[in-house]
Amino acid sequence: MNNNILSISNVTVKFGGLVALNNFHINVRQGGISGVIGPNGAGKTTVFNIITGVYRPNSGSVKVNDKELIGIPTHVIAHHKVARTFQNIRLFANMSVCENIMSGACIKREGTFLSSLFMLPNSYKKEKELWKKANKLLEFCGLEKYKDSPAISLPYGMQRKLEIARSLMTDPSLLLLDEPAAGMNPTEKLALQELVKRISEQKISVLLIEHDMRFVMNLCENITVLNYGSVIAEGPPEIIQTNHEVIEAYLGSDIEDDFNIKETLNASR
Amino acid sequence: MMDFLNYSQLPFIMFSILAIQAMSLQLILGGTGLLSLGHAAFYTVGGYTSAMFTVFIAPLIGIHDTTLLLICACLIGMTGAAFTGLLVAIPCLKLRGDYLAMATLGVGEIVATVFKNLDFVGGTRGFKDIPKLGSPLLIFSIMLVVCFFIIRFYKTNLGYAVRATRDDEISARSLGINIYKTKLISFLIGSSLAGLAGVFYAHTLQFISPDEAGFYNSVVLVLAVVIGGMYSVMGSIFGAFIIVIIPEILRFIPQLINPYLIFMSEKGFLLPSLIPVIDSILSNRTLIFSVLVVIIMLLNPKGVASLFERINKMRKTNE
């Protein structure tokens, strides 16, 4: 019995002639934070889409808690305690912040339609508990003061946090964050970093995609680097930082500073 | 006074029935985000099926008690409408946005054609001599019950699922919501409530014609929902109120304005030959009503419900 919550092995995804993922593999430890990095178009979001069942891979296996997920429709995968956020924020725009979070509890309220329609005591009690939990999450993500305002009126960073809060409401054991820090300023990034750390302290495993190297290196205990759909490196941040192939894949962008190339060069001399 | 009561009875009934219909469409259009342009079809089906029951079947079984008859008629009308809704929904809900609107547009015409060709319910002449059941107050209280039901519905898990589906299907799915099932359920509830409105329509007017299912009525329903504000249940009631009451009020406008016109022409501000022209424009109620609707939509594109929100916000900022 291994303690991996997510294990993907030998997954290949092809769109026509384009190979989006080639023999991809990743393991996420229970309660750990892992990251997937890579240049644009390397197939990072495709990884999330095969975990959540949006795409069906041509071959390979995706296991969450030792249960095979391939072939299961997206809405059932949420029942296996997998939650995700999106690269381009997808909130329920016409609902308030509270309602956005409560709609994350749809799975838990399943089958209580008639009793909650007539406000029967048992479902009333359950709903009260859920509201309590939603309020706790609001506080956890620092959204209390926006409680009743419409979701689209929130500032950008808060919308990201609301999306995370909504996916936490489903009580996930694996949380997939797709570029959570994109478009945030340094202060917001730091706050988000703290938030992700606190989430993983609650025994929730996190798998994140991010372009901000400092963010990834500070958070993740294990990093997988993708380029053109193939894994070119994996391991703890220190090893990734010194890996030549990774630096090569990122050359031409201004990421070099973050990799501390100078240091590694000095060390090799 | 009695005259006024007698006169106001029919608009009152029509308002209640239209409000039930508008709320049932609000569930589908504002709640789930499905633009259905054939909603009047379900209401016609509800009216016809319940009328067929009360005219042909009820005497055979021997139901003469009016209360029992009304309850049975309601149940049968709602089931008939829900069944039609199911038949429409299963193929059509795979479509999105405009395509769904086009598909449902056909449904109204199909239903109208079917009833036009059924001779035992009167064919094109319509179904006459339906027994009179229900009172204005009953219909009004049913409307309140429907309103309460839909408001409560939005608070249940299905209500949240429905609204989540409307706003973003992809993230709704990632939260574990079965989108197709959710849409189907909301369509079923919406069409059966429309059927309920049809039952009362058929049994208070004692007549129902196949033309009820046509395009015009469906558009009036959409109008009622949009005027009131897409996302508010109360707004739909208000929209129905405007659609029924304003044409009735406009009836009196030419009489009210005529003395002033004559007064103005005497003072020389107005050519006397223009008076009949203005009179005829003002007495064209449909025209005035249409212009009013355009003005309402221009002033307040989010509907009447947003007006209340704006007032609330203003009050808050003043404090």
Side-chain angles (χ1 to χ4, degrees):
Chain A
M1 185 70 199
N2 53 10
N3 61 349
N4 285 340
I5 181 142
L6 169 74
S7 57
I8 301 180
S9 51
N10 303 325
V11 163
T12 301
V13 181
K14 285 176 189 158
F15 299 122
L18 179 84
V19 183
L21 279 180
N22 184 20
N23 216 353
F24 178 80
H25 60 92
I26 192 171
N27 289 313
V28 179
R29 186 179 64 83
Q30 198 112 39
I33 305 178
S34 303
V36 178
I37 59 172
N40 285 329
K44 300 180 301 290
T45 304
T46 311
V47 173
F48 278 19
N49 282 341
I50 58 158
I51 298 172
T52 53
V54 178
Y55 301 140
R56 206 194 153 114
N58 299 55
S59 64
S61 91
V62 178
K63 279 184 179 165
V64 169
N65 271 332
D66 285 325
K67 270 181 220 130
E68 185 64 52
L69 289 191
I70 287 176
I72 299 179
T74 309
H75 61 88
V76 181
I77 285 176
H79 289 69
H80 290 278
K81 291 180 171 288
V82 179
R84 75 172 289 186
T85 66
F86 295 88
Q87 187 171 1
N88 40 348
I89 302 176
R90 289 181 169 277
L91 290 171
F92 302 136
N94 294 307
M95 292 160 85
S96 74
V97 171
C98 268
E99 288 172 329
N100 260 281
I101 292 185
M102 267 312 265
S103 48
C106 272
I107 296 179
K108 285 197 207 127
R109 297 171 72 191
E110 232 162 49
T112 62
F113 172 63
L114 282 177
S115 57
S116 70
L117 184 67
F118 297 114
M119 287 190 277
L120 295 185
N122 58 343
S123 76
Y124 182 73
K125 216 165 123 192
K126 201 172 170 188
E127 263 165 51
K128 223 173 180 182
E129 265 166 38
L130 285 174
W131 275 111
K132 212 184 261 172
K133 196 184 161 197
N135 281 328
K136 221 181 258 172
L137 274 176
L138 277 174
E139 212 173 306
F140 183 71
C141 298
L143 291 160
E144 311 98 314
K145 67 173 176 180
Y146 301 106
K147 208 174 164 190
D148 291 316
S149 45
I152 33 167
S153 71
L154 259 58
Y156 187 82
M158 287 297 160
Q159 288 193 13
R160 283 257 178 235
K161 282 186 176 172
L162 176 57
E163 213 185 12
I164 294 173
R166 186 182 69 188
S167 48
L168 283 178
M169 193 69 192
T170 61
D171 250 351
S173 53
L174 174 66
L175 181 63
L176 310 171
L177 300 174
D178 198 340
E179 299 203 11
M184 283 188 170
N185 63 30
T187 353
E188 283 174 325
K189 272 179 193 169
L190 266 181
L192 185 73
Q193 203 170 306
E194 279 308 303
L195 185 71
V196 175
K197 252 183 203 157
R198 275 189 291 152
I199 289 171
S200 82
E201 277 162 16
Q202 297 177 355
K203 299 254 164 66
I204 298 173
S205 320
V206 179
L207 175 63
L208 56 88
I209 292 174
E210 189 46 69
H211 275 304
D212 187 303
M213 285 307 142
R214 202 163 283 136
F215 188 85
V216 176
M217 297 299 166
N218 282 342
L219 271 177
C220 299
E221 52 174 38
N222 216 330
I223 295 173
T224 305
V225 189
L226 269 178
N227 197 18
Y228 294 114
S230 314
V231 179
I232 55 172
E234 59 183 323
E238 306 83 50
I239 293 179
I240 296 295
Q241 279 173 1
T242 55
N243 188 307
H244 274 287
E245 261 183 280
V246 177
I247 296 165
E248 218 167 52
Y250 269 98
L251 266 184
S253 60
D254 51 6
I255 301 293
E256 294 128 83
D257 299 340
D258 294 337
F259 273 117
N260 300 326
I261 289 182
K262 264 184 205 157
E263 277 177 37
T264 51
L265 285 180
N266 287 339
S268 62
R269 269 174 209 157
Chain B
M1 194 60 202
M2 277 317 282
D3 279 352
F4 178 73
L5 275 182
N6 278 337
Y7 164 71
S8 63
Q9 205 172 13
L10 191 62
F12 182 68
I13 292 172
M14 289 318 290
F15 154 66
S16 305
I17 290 174
L18 192 68
I20 297 176
Q21 288 182 69
M23 281 188 287
S24 71
L25 182 64
Q26 197 272 335
L27 190 64
I28 295 176
L29 177 60
T32 326
L34 306 168
L35 178 53
S36 159
L37 285 181
H39 205 64
F42 305 124
Y43 134 90
T44 317
V45 168
Y48 262 101
T49 43
S50 65
M52 280 183 219
F53 170 76
T54 47
V55 172
F56 299 121
I57 299 171
L60 285 181
I61 317 173
I63 301 174
H64 294 295
D65 182 38
T66 44
T67 322
L68 186 62
L69 194 60
L70 183 62
I71 292 172
C72 288
C74 284
L75 287 179
I76 284 174
M78 282 170 81
T79 327
F83 183 68
T84 321
L86 195 69
L87 281 186
V88 174
I90 287 175
C92 288
L93 286 187
K94 302 231 186 249
L95 304 172
R96 253 170 227 194
D98 310 346
Y99 303 103
L100 179 74
M102 275 156 73
T104 49
L105 190 63
V107 172
E109 298 308 320
I110 292 171
V111 167
T113 317
V114 165
F115 284 122
K116 270 178 196 165
N117 288 297
L118 287 180
D119 275 335
F120 71 101
V121 290
T124 38
R125 281 162 291 138
F127 198 170
K128 284 178 287 189
D129 302 328
I130 303 167
K132 192 169 176 72
L133 297 169
S135 65
L137 268 182
L138 178 74
I139 299 174
F140 185 70
S141 42
I142 294 270
M143 186 203 88
L144 291 182
V145 169
V146 169
C147 174
F148 182 71
F149 168 78
I150 294 181
I151 288 175
R152 275 303 305 166
F153 174 83
Y154 284 136
K155 298 265 192 298
T156 64
N157 59 331
L158 264 178
Y160 275 101
V162 156
R163 286 187 289 165
T165 308
R166 168 195 70 199
D167 281 352
D168 198 316
E169 291 194 6
I170 293 172
S171 56
R173 211 181 285 151
S174 83
L175 292 176
I177 296 166
N178 186 343
I179 290 181
Y180 188 68
K181 199 174 118 198
T182 311
K183 282 183 183 175
L184 200 67
I185 290 173
S186 107
F187 210 83
L188 271 186
I189 295 179
S191 56
S192 66
L193 286 178
L196 183 67
V199 173
F200 285 109
Y201 180 83
H203 286 93
T204 44
L205 292 190
Q206 297 177 276
F207 172 77
I208 189 161
S209 96
D211 295 327
E212 289 293 328
F215 180 59
Y216 176 77
N217 278 344
S218 300
V219 170
V220 166
L221 285 180
V222 174
L223 197 63
V225 174
V226 174
I227 285 181
M230 287 261 270
Y231 305 126
S232 149
V233 184
M234 292 297 183
S236 308
I237 298 180
F238 194 81
F241 183 76
I242 288 181
I243 283 183
V244 173
I245 299 300
I246 284 191
E248 296 298 330
I249 294 173
L250 288 179
R251 239 182 246 284
F252 305 110
I253 294 264
Q255 295 168 23
L256 285 177
I257 287 187
N258 203 24
Y260 293 101
L261 290 178
I262 292 170
F263 176 75
M264 272 169 65
S265 70
E266 276 167 3
K267 292 274 174 192
F269 293 123
L270 205 65
L271 283 176
S273 55
L274 276 179
I275 293 177
V277 177
I278 293 175
D279 261 352
S280 68
I281 289 177
L282 286 179
S283 51
N284 190 340
R285 293 190 290 140
T286 336
L287 179 72
I288 304 270
F289 179 64
S290 314
V291 171
L292 271 179
V293 167
V294 172
I295 292 173
I296 289 176
M297 292 319 292
L298 280 179
L299 289 180
N300 211 4
K302 277 185 182 167
V304 181
S306 75
L307 207 67
F308 294 118
E309 273 169 31
R310 230 185 278 168
I311 293 169
N312 268 343
K313 212 178 253 175
M314 268 161 64
R315 205 182 288 157
K316 260 182 199 167
T317 46
N318 282 349
E319 278 169 11

